[in-house]
């Protein structure tokens, strides 16, 4: 008698998520009907529609899939799960262009205020948090999710933990971006820097982020490689610390469970302290530790050399994560924060210069014996220049945290220049380099469609960055000097409107620099799209000798 064929059954994840999303669709529909304000009604409807669609997708996937789930290994080799990585890469490119474009719009609004068109939805106050969130969390976040899921599989020689969980992380994170971004346009905000989403968006992000931590951690635990590569240390520190920061800075009590408005648990100087403990460590762990993990994997991979000093990378890791967490109070110099706390933040910020430059040196010295590759590989050039910008930003930051320097720089465009030298030069370029590496690997192409286009992207974006940050440096120092200039009678020498007028030419230069950066990102998007469609177009042919005449 032949054995009965295997019966296909739903996994715990499939059945559990189907029930959860079905319940969520019902509850969100009720919440939308009883909403006390229009933005909450819109977002509740969005959650309901997304939950219903999730149920459909999960059930449809169940009926279409084979009886057995994909194996962990095929013929003794790891069966990597690259589907979520591909989706994250695509979303990173999309959100990057969107975020850079919104940045160009608001830079233009500062130069030409009439571009607000007196419309509340596209006013500077609403587009500015949309820009920061789109660039940092949407673009940068998707690059981090994609690269971390790729690197942890490759360095651990193990398939991503979970069946639906990695997809839930990628899709759930991008849904959070959609809710947060539309909320800003509708005027829904906590008014906390880098933490603007309201309570229900924060709750959703908490669920997604905990799942992200579990997927990454379980993949490391089940690894087939005994050693944990240093990039995974940085990824894990970034994921775990951001979870702690998010929970610490965002406890809030909603005015109504069917309304968008809430009040943060903290108040006054405690709220300011929590906010900049969060705000600066969002820079420290989201925009630094996470992207250092990219540096530690992609530069050695691209240059085909081991890390210059593995011991230095471990020292870099422990020194960075210990010192960074204390540096936040330097954002609150000359405020109601106790002076000892301000001095503590300044002291640890200055100490941060050492491990930061240790990491920069480690990244640059990895090219020892292979510096010639910078002439022929524009992707490697982009990665290396990003490390140089990391070094410059981590020197400028500690310097600006010194109280006497901060008294000139704070609240001026100098801070904007500093932030963008790190965001465009360090985060932007290392992200572009990672995307240029990942797309051919993920879609099994021999190389990029065009290295010439990468070169065009590199020089266009570099010129844009130089215009942007140099304009903001000059503008910021000029602002600070004008604000502290007094007449012989002790009155302010310049009115506020005179200082604003003096900034106008620099704002035009900044907008021009931002436009070049956007153009560079469009060149990248076209290059990556053509890489996926047709693969490598350029064939390196030998140069034929011409006969003498």
């Amino acid at each position: 008698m032949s054995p009965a064929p295997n019966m296909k059954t739903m996994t715990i994840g499939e059945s559990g998520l189907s029930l959860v999303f079905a319940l969520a669709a019902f509850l969100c529909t009720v919440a939308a009907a009883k909403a006390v304000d229009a933005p909450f009604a819109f977002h509740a409807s969005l959650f309901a529609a997304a939950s219903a669609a999730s149920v459909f997708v999960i059930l449809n996937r169940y009926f279409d899939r084979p009886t057995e789930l994909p194996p962990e290994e095929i013929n003794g080799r790891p069966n990597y799960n690259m589907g979520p990585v591909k989706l994250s890469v695509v979303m990173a490119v999309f959100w990057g262009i969107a975020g850079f474009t919104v940045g160009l719009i608001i830079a233009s609004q500062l130069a030409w205020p009439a571009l607000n068109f007196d419309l509340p939805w596209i006013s500077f106050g609403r587009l500015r948090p949309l820009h920061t969130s789109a660039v940092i969390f949407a673009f940068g976040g998707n690059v981090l999710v994609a690269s971390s899921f790729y690197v942890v599989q490759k360095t651990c020689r193990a398939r991503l933990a979970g069946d639906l969980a990695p997809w839930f992380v990628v899709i759930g994170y991008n849904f959070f971006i959609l809710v947060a971004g539309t909320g800003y346009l509708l005027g829904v905000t906590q008014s906390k820097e880098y933490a603007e989403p309201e309570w229900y968006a924060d709750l959703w992000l908490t669920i997604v982020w905990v799942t992200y931590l579990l997927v990454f951690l379980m993949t490391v635990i089940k690894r087939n490689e005994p050693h944990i590569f240093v990039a995974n240390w940085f990824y894990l520190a970034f994921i775990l610390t951001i979870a702690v920061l998010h929970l610490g800075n965002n406890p809030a009590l909603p005015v109504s469970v069917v309304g968008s408005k809430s009040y943060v648990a903290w108040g006054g100087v405690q709220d300011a302290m929590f906010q900049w403990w969060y705000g600066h460590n969002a820079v420290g762990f989201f925009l630094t530790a996470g992207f250092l993990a990219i540096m530690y994997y992609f530069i050695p991979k691209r240059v085909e050399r081991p890390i210059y000093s593995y011991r230095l990378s471990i020292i870099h890791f422990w020194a960075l994560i210990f010192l960074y967490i204390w540096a936040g109070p330097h954002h609150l110099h000359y405020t109601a924060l106790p002076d000892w706390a301000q001095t503590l933040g300044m002291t640890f910020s200055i100490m941060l210069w050492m491990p930061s430059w240790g990491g920069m040196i480690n990244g640059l010295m990895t090219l020892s014996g292979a510096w010639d590759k910078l002439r022929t590989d524009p992707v490697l050039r982009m990665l290396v220049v990003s490390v140089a910008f990391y070094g410059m930003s981590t020197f400028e930051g500690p310097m600006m945290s010194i109280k006497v320097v901060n008294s000139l720089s704070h609240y001026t465009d100098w801070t904007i220049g500093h932030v963008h030298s790190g965001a465009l030069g360090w985060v932007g370029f290392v992200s572009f380099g990672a995307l240029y590496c990942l797309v051919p690997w993920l879609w099994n192409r021999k190389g990029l469609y065009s290295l010439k286009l990468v070169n065009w992207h590199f020089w266009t974006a570099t010129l844009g960055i130089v215009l942007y940050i140099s304009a903001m440096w000059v503008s910021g120092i000029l602002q600070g000097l004008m604000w502290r200039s007094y007449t012989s009678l002790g009155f302010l020498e310049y009115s506020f409107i005179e200082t604003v007028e003096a900034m106008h030419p620099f704002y035009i230069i900044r907008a021009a620099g931002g436009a070049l950066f956007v153009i560079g990102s469009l060149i990248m998007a076209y290059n990556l799209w053509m890489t996926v469609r047709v693969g490598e177009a350029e064939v390196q042919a030998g140069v034929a000798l011409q006969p003498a005449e």
Side-chain angles (χ1 to χ4, degrees):
M1 184 175 178
S2 60
N6 291 332
M7 296 294 293
K8 181 160 61 171
T9 57
M10 295 187 78
T11 64
I12 295 174
E14 289 170 333
S15 56
L17 276 177
S18 298
L19 290 173
V20 168
F21 279 125
L23 180 62
F26 171 73
L27 293 176
C28 290
T29 303
V30 173
K34 294 183 174 295
V36 298
D37 55 72
F40 186 85
F42 171 73
H43 282 150
S45 301
L46 205 59
F47 269 103
S51 298
S54 299
V55 174
F56 173 78
V57 169
I58 292 169
L59 292 178
N60 188 62
R61 179 181 181 271
Y62 164 70
F63 288 118
D64 287 348
R65 72 168 173 82
T67 303
E68 299 293 331
L69 293 175
E72 291 286 320
E73 293 184 349
I74 298 177
N75 297 327
R77 303 187 67 178
N79 179 28
Y80 298 125
N81 182 9
M82 293 302 177
V85 182
K86 287 183 177 181
L87 178 57
S88 245
V89 164
V90 172
M91 295 310 299
V93 175
F94 170 77
W95 288 121
I97 293 171
F100 304 147
T101 303
V102 174
L104 174 59
I105 291 169
I106 60 175
S108 302
Q109 287 178 343
L110 287 176
W112 302 285
L115 293 176
N116 284 278
F117 296 112
D118 290 329
L119 296 173
W121 309 283
I122 59 168
S123 63
F124 181 89
R126 294 192 184 184
L127 289 185
R128 193 265 174 178
L130 180 66
H131 163 64
T132 54
S133 292
V135 173
I136 296 172
F137 299 116
F139 169 66
N142 272 287
V143 170
L144 289 171
V145 171
S147 61
S148 64
F149 278 173
Y150 181 88
V151 171
V152 76
Q153 291 185 87
K154 288 289 188 175
T155 56
C156 293
R157 293 193 292 117
R159 183 180 174 85
L160 272 179
D163 176 37
L164 291 176
W167 288 103
F168 175 79
V169 171
V170 174
I171 298 171
Y173 184 72
N174 282 281
F175 184 73
F176 160 76
I177 297 297
L178 178 64
V179 171
T182 53
Y184 302 152
L185 296 177
L186 295 170
V188 176
T189 174
Q190 284 191 117
S191 302
K192 292 168 75 75
E193 184 77 353
Y194 307 136
E196 288 93 346
E198 268 289 1
W199 65 274
Y200 52 91
D202 285 336
L203 281 175
W204 174 249
L205 180 60
T206 302
I207 296 168
V208 171
W209 205 261
V210 169
T211 308
Y212 181 25
L213 173 62
L214 291 174
V215 169
F216 191 90
L217 193 57
M218 293 306 297
T219 306
V220 173
I221 289 172
K222 70 170 189 173
R223 68 189 184 278
N224 294 311
E225 170 63 46
H227 180 72
I228 301 176
F229 186 64
V230 68
N232 292 325
W233 289 54
F234 280 92
Y235 279 128
L236 196 54
F238 136 69
I239 299 168
L240 184 60
T241 310
I242 291 299
V244 175
L245 295 170
H246 177 73
L247 292 173
N249 190 47
N250 287 294
L253 184 66
V255 176
S256 169
V257 293
V258 289
S260 59
K261 182 60 184 169
S262 69
Y263 288 96
V264 180
W266 319 115
V269 74
Q270 287 82 10
D271 185 36
M273 184 65 240
F274 263 104
Q275 163 56 31
W276 285 110
W277 167 74
Y278 165 91
H280 191 74
N281 288 297
V283 174
F285 287 87
F286 200 98
L287 297 177
T288 302
F291 290 95
L292 283 170
I294 294 176
M295 179 196 83
Y296 273 117
Y297 181 84
F298 286 88
I299 287 183
K301 190 77 174 174
R302 193 77 189 182
V303 80
E304 297 177 325
R305 292 284 193 282
I307 295 171
Y308 173 68
S309 171
Y310 206 83
R311 180 176 297 176
L312 180 57
S313 71
I314 299 301
I315 296 171
H316 176 206
F317 173 80
W318 286 111
L320 194 81
I321 65 167
F322 174 72
L323 295 176
Y324 231 123
I325 207 77
W326 303 98
H330 74 227
H331 287 264
L332 297 168
H333 284 331
Y334 307 107
T335 67
L337 190 73
D339 189 65
W340 67 265
Q342 298 177 36
T343 304
L344 182 76
M346 179 185 75
T347 304
F348 275 89
S349 299
I350 295 168
M351 292 166 67
L352 263 173
W353 171 73
M354 292 178 283
S356 298
W357 272 36
M360 175 197 68
I361 292 166
N362 213 5
L364 293 177
M365 291 303 292
T366 299
L367 274 76
S368 295
W371 287 100
D372 59 295
K373 292 191 176 187
L374 289 176
R375 292 187 291 109
T376 57
D377 187 354
V379 176
L380 180 61
R381 192 184 309 142
M382 198 166 265
L383 288 167
V384 169
V385 169
S386 77
V387 179
F389 270 108
Y390 171 64
M392 289 187 286
S393 296
T394 51
F395 171 78
E396 186 183 28
M399 180 184 70
M400 292 173 71
S401 75
I402 299 170
K403 288 185 178 182
V404 67
V405 179
N406 196 267
S407 67
L408 175 66
S409 72
H410 208 42
Y411 306 120
T412 72
D413 288 335
W414 187 357
T415 303
I416 310 303
H418 165 65
V419 167
H420 283 79
S421 69
L424 301 179
W426 159 235
V427 173
F429 269 18
V430 80
S431 298
F432 296 151
L435 291 172
Y436 279 128
C437 290
L438 282 172
V439 169
W441 297 344
L442 291 170
W443 275 273
N444 297 316
R445 302 292 186 263
K446 290 182 180 179
L448 288 163
Y449 172 71
S450 172
L451 286 179
K452 288 181 181 177
L453 287 177
V454 180
N455 223 16
W456 273 99
H457 179 197
F458 173 80
W459 288 111
T460 304
T462 300
L463 180 59
I465 293 171
V466 170
L467 285 174
Y468 192 114
I469 60 179
S470 53
M472 289 298 94
W473 282 336
V474 175
S475 167
I477 294 171
L478 179 61
Q479 269 181 324
L481 292 174
M482 290 179 77
W483 290 350
R484 61 163 58 178
S485 182
Y486 292 90
T487 66
S488 58
L489 297 175
F491 296 103
L492 286 173
E493 188 169 353
Y494 302 100
S495 67
F496 181 73
I497 196 63
E498 286 178 303
T499 68
V500 173
E501 187 180 11
M503 300 305 108
H504 188 253
F506 303 108
Y507 287 172
I508 294 175
I509 296 170
R510 170 168 71 172
L516 288 171
F517 202 81
V518 172
I519 291 168
S521 68
L522 292 172
I523 294 171
M524 177 190 72
Y526 173 76
N527 199 2
L528 295 180
W529 168 248
M530 294 302 291
T531 300
V532 173
R533 280 194 62 199
V534 302
E536 188 178 21
E538 296 174 349
V539 178
Q540 301 297 328
V543 179
L545 297 175
Q546 299 295 322
E549 295 183 357

